[in-house]
Amino acid sequence: MASPSALPASVLDLAPVVPVVVIDDAGDAVPLARALVAGGLPAIEVTLRTPAAPEAIRRIAGQVPEAVVGAGTVISPEQVADTVAAGARFLVSPGWTDALLEAMRGSGVPFLPGVSTTSEVVALLERGVREMKFFPAEAAGGTAYLKSLAGPLPQARFCPTGGIGPASAPDYLALPNVACVGGSWMLPRDAVAARDWGRVEALAREAAALSAGGTCR
């Protein structure tokens, strides 16, 4: 696990699964993050889909030092600046533009720009970026698509996200160009609504044990 004071060298190597978190109430951020960390998932992507997200990132960064909290659904340079100021230690985007890529590169924290086509992958490789988010994974072709990319573009590494669950995650993790997957199945809405952090921790522990073939790493 990364030390609280250090930035990760790579988002892809923190854990086999990166929880993709949507937080409606910033008051849930700290206990939710503690449950995920206790379950073995230290990298936590808080998506910027709700007004509570920036404050959730700030609270996790300040109160759960064992977590490596990042910002997801980053789509503008302004969001890059704001979330890093709030304490985000990595950035994830669903797609990218040159302006967004420049902002993420200049932020000083690791980042995963989103891709869903071969041309986007090649364009990022041309710009010196080798680690990417593949999104929306299932809708964009899933494991078959990523397997096809591994031959001509072996230098690209991916975190597929979008439609992945505990049954399909091992198939993705078996691919040579996949280092981890993103998902939210360890955060069922009813468990979060009930603040059942014990259940979240148990599901996180199961997710942390996933690897290629469905066995523990």
Short mmCIF file of all heavy atoms in Angstrom, two decimals, residues 53-81:
data_model
loop_
_atom_site.label_atom_id
_atom_site.label_comp_id
_atom_site.label_asym_id
_atom_site.label_seq_id
_atom_site.Cartn_x
_atom_site.Cartn_y
_atom_site.Cartn_z
N ALA A 53 -19.07 15.61 -4.50
CA ALA A 53 -17.80 14.95 -4.83
C ALA A 53 -16.56 15.72 -4.38
O ALA A 53 -15.67 15.13 -3.75
CB ALA A 53 -17.74 14.65 -6.32
N PRO A 54 -16.42 17.02 -4.66
CA PRO A 54 -15.20 17.71 -4.23
C PRO A 54 -14.99 17.68 -2.72
O PRO A 54 -13.86 17.47 -2.25
CB PRO A 54 -15.41 19.14 -4.75
CG PRO A 54 -16.36 18.99 -5.90
CD PRO A 54 -17.29 17.89 -5.50
N GLU A 55 -16.06 17.87 -1.96
CA GLU A 55 -15.94 17.82 -0.51
C GLU A 55 -15.63 16.41 -0.04
O GLU A 55 -14.86 16.21 0.92
CB GLU A 55 -17.22 18.34 0.16
CG GLU A 55 -17.21 18.30 1.69
CD GLU A 55 -16.10 19.15 2.31
OE1 GLU A 55 -15.60 20.09 1.65
OE2 GLU A 55 -15.75 18.89 3.48
N ALA A 56 -16.18 15.40 -0.72
CA ALA A 56 -15.88 14.00 -0.38
C ALA A 56 -14.40 13.72 -0.57
O ALA A 56 -13.75 13.08 0.27
CB ALA A 56 -16.72 13.06 -1.23
N ILE A 57 -13.83 14.19 -1.67
CA ILE A 57 -12.40 14.01 -1.92
C ILE A 57 -11.59 14.69 -0.83
O ILE A 57 -10.63 14.13 -0.30
CB ILE A 57 -12.03 14.57 -3.31
CG1 ILE A 57 -12.64 13.70 -4.41
CG2 ILE A 57 -10.51 14.67 -3.47
CD1 ILE A 57 -12.53 14.30 -5.80
N ARG A 58 -11.99 15.91 -0.48
CA ARG A 58 -11.28 16.66 0.55
C ARG A 58 -11.29 15.91 1.89
O ARG A 58 -10.27 15.82 2.59
CB ARG A 58 -11.91 18.05 0.71
CG ARG A 58 -11.17 18.98 1.65
CD ARG A 58 -11.76 20.37 1.63
NE ARG A 58 -11.53 21.03 0.34
CZ ARG A 58 -12.46 21.22 -0.59
NH1 ARG A 58 -13.71 20.83 -0.36
NH2 ARG A 58 -12.16 21.80 -1.73
N ARG A 59 -12.44 15.37 2.26
CA ARG A 59 -12.55 14.68 3.55
C ARG A 59 -11.75 13.37 3.56
O ARG A 59 -11.09 13.05 4.55
CB ARG A 59 -14.02 14.41 3.87
CG ARG A 59 -14.82 15.67 4.14
CD ARG A 59 -16.21 15.34 4.67
NE ARG A 59 -17.03 16.54 4.78
CZ ARG A 59 -18.20 16.59 5.39
NH1 ARG A 59 -18.71 15.50 5.95
NH2 ARG A 59 -18.88 17.73 5.45
N ILE A 60 -11.82 12.61 2.47
CA ILE A 60 -11.06 11.37 2.41
C ILE A 60 -9.56 11.66 2.47
O ILE A 60 -8.81 11.01 3.21
CB ILE A 60 -11.41 10.57 1.15
CG1 ILE A 60 -12.87 10.11 1.19
CG2 ILE A 60 -10.48 9.36 1.00
CD1 ILE A 60 -13.37 9.50 -0.11
N ALA A 61 -9.13 12.66 1.71
CA ALA A 61 -7.71 13.02 1.69
C ALA A 61 -7.23 13.45 3.07
O ALA A 61 -6.10 13.15 3.48
CB ALA A 61 -7.46 14.13 0.68
N GLY A 62 -8.09 14.14 3.81
CA GLY A 62 -7.69 14.68 5.11
C GLY A 62 -7.83 13.70 6.26
O GLY A 62 -7.10 13.81 7.25
N GLN A 63 -8.76 12.75 6.14
CA GLN A 63 -9.07 11.90 7.29
C GLN A 63 -8.79 10.41 7.10
O GLN A 63 -8.85 9.65 8.06
CB GLN A 63 -10.55 12.08 7.66
CG GLN A 63 -10.91 13.51 8.04
CD GLN A 63 -12.38 13.66 8.38
OE1 GLN A 63 -12.92 12.89 9.18
NE2 GLN A 63 -13.05 14.65 7.79
N VAL A 64 -8.50 10.01 5.87
CA VAL A 64 -8.21 8.58 5.61
C VAL A 64 -6.87 8.52 4.87
O VAL A 64 -6.83 8.28 3.66
CB VAL A 64 -9.34 7.91 4.80
CG1 VAL A 64 -9.16 6.38 4.81
CG2 VAL A 64 -10.71 8.28 5.33
N PRO A 65 -5.76 8.73 5.58
CA PRO A 65 -4.46 8.79 4.91
C PRO A 65 -4.04 7.48 4.25
O PRO A 65 -3.20 7.49 3.35
CB PRO A 65 -3.49 9.17 6.04
CG PRO A 65 -4.19 8.74 7.30
CD PRO A 65 -5.65 8.95 7.04
N GLU A 66 -4.63 6.36 4.67
CA GLU A 66 -4.29 5.08 4.05
C GLU A 66 -4.89 4.95 2.65
O GLU A 66 -4.46 4.11 1.85
CB GLU A 66 -4.79 3.91 4.89
CG GLU A 66 -4.52 4.06 6.39
CD GLU A 66 -5.70 4.67 7.12
OE1 GLU A 66 -5.97 5.85 6.89
OE2 GLU A 66 -6.37 3.94 7.89
N ALA A 67 -5.90 5.75 2.37
CA ALA A 67 -6.53 5.72 1.05
C ALA A 67 -5.73 6.53 0.05
O ALA A 67 -5.06 7.51 0.40
CB ALA A 67 -7.96 6.26 1.14
N VAL A 68 -5.79 6.11 -1.21
CA VAL A 68 -5.25 6.90 -2.31
C VAL A 68 -6.45 7.38 -3.11
O VAL A 68 -6.98 6.67 -3.97
CB VAL A 68 -4.30 6.06 -3.20
CG1 VAL A 68 -3.70 6.93 -4.29
CG2 VAL A 68 -3.19 5.44 -2.35
N VAL A 69 -6.94 8.56 -2.76
CA VAL A 69 -8.18 9.05 -3.34
C VAL A 69 -7.90 9.79 -4.64
O VAL A 69 -6.95 10.57 -4.75
CB VAL A 69 -8.96 9.95 -2.36
CG1 VAL A 69 -8.19 11.21 -2.00
CG2 VAL A 69 -10.34 10.28 -2.90
N GLY A 70 -8.74 9.53 -5.64
CA GLY A 70 -8.61 10.20 -6.91
C GLY A 70 -9.94 10.77 -7.37
O GLY A 70 -10.98 10.49 -6.78
N ALA A 71 -9.89 11.55 -8.43
CA ALA A 71 -11.10 12.14 -9.00
C ALA A 71 -11.38 11.49 -10.34
O ALA A 71 -10.48 11.35 -11.17
CB ALA A 71 -10.92 13.64 -9.18
N GLY A 72 -12.63 11.09 -10.54
CA GLY A 72 -13.04 10.51 -11.81
C GLY A 72 -14.03 11.41 -12.53
O GLY A 72 -14.53 12.38 -11.96
N THR A 73 -14.32 11.07 -13.77
CA THR A 73 -15.20 11.88 -14.62
C THR A 73 -14.66 13.30 -14.73
O THR A 73 -15.41 14.28 -14.72
CB THR A 73 -16.66 11.87 -14.13
OG1 THR A 73 -17.00 10.59 -13.62
CG2 THR A 73 -17.61 12.19 -15.28
N VAL A 74 -13.34 13.42 -14.82
CA VAL A 74 -12.70 14.72 -14.98
C VAL A 74 -12.74 15.08 -16.47
O VAL A 74 -12.22 14.35 -17.31
CB VAL A 74 -11.24 14.68 -14.50
CG1 VAL A 74 -10.54 16.00 -14.76
CG2 VAL A 74 -11.18 14.32 -13.02
N ILE A 75 -13.39 16.20 -16.79
CA ILE A 75 -13.57 16.55 -18.20
C ILE A 75 -13.13 17.97 -18.54
O ILE A 75 -13.32 18.40 -19.68
CB ILE A 75 -15.04 16.35 -18.64
CG1 ILE A 75 -15.98 17.22 -17.80
CG2 ILE A 75 -15.44 14.88 -18.55
CD1 ILE A 75 -17.42 17.21 -18.30
N SER A 76 -12.53 18.68 -17.59
CA SER A 76 -12.08 20.05 -17.90
C SER A 76 -10.83 20.38 -17.12
O SER A 76 -10.58 19.83 -16.04
CB SER A 76 -13.17 21.07 -17.53
OG SER A 76 -13.28 21.20 -16.12
N PRO A 77 -10.00 21.30 -17.64
CA PRO A 77 -8.82 21.74 -16.90
C PRO A 77 -9.17 22.33 -15.53
O PRO A 77 -8.40 22.18 -14.58
CB PRO A 77 -8.20 22.79 -17.82
CG PRO A 77 -8.62 22.37 -19.20
CD PRO A 77 -10.03 21.85 -19.02
N GLU A 78 -10.32 22.98 -15.45
CA GLU A 78 -10.72 23.56 -14.17
C GLU A 78 -10.95 22.46 -13.13
O GLU A 78 -10.58 22.62 -11.96
CB GLU A 78 -12.01 24.38 -14.35
CG GLU A 78 -11.83 25.66 -15.15
CD GLU A 78 -11.73 25.39 -16.66
OE1 GLU A 78 -12.16 24.30 -17.11
OE2 GLU A 78 -11.22 26.28 -17.38
N GLN A 79 -11.56 21.36 -13.54
CA GLN A 79 -11.77 20.25 -12.61
C GLN A 79 -10.45 19.64 -12.19
O GLN A 79 -10.31 19.20 -11.04
CB GLN A 79 -12.68 19.20 -13.24
CG GLN A 79 -14.13 19.63 -13.36
CD GLN A 79 -14.99 18.57 -14.04
OE1 GLN A 79 -14.52 17.82 -14.88
NE2 GLN A 79 -16.26 18.52 -13.66
N VAL A 80 -9.49 19.59 -13.09
CA VAL A 80 -8.16 19.10 -12.72
C VAL A 80 -7.60 19.93 -11.58
O VAL A 80 -7.18 19.40 -10.54
CB VAL A 80 -7.20 19.15 -13.93
CG1 VAL A 80 -5.77 18.87 -13.49
CG2 VAL A 80 -7.64 18.15 -15.00
N ALA A 81 -7.60 21.23 -11.74
CA ALA A 81 -7.03 22.12 -10.72
C ALA A 81 -7.79 22.02 -9.41
O ALA A 81 -7.19 21.93 -8.33
CB ALA A 81 -7.04 23.56 -11.23
#
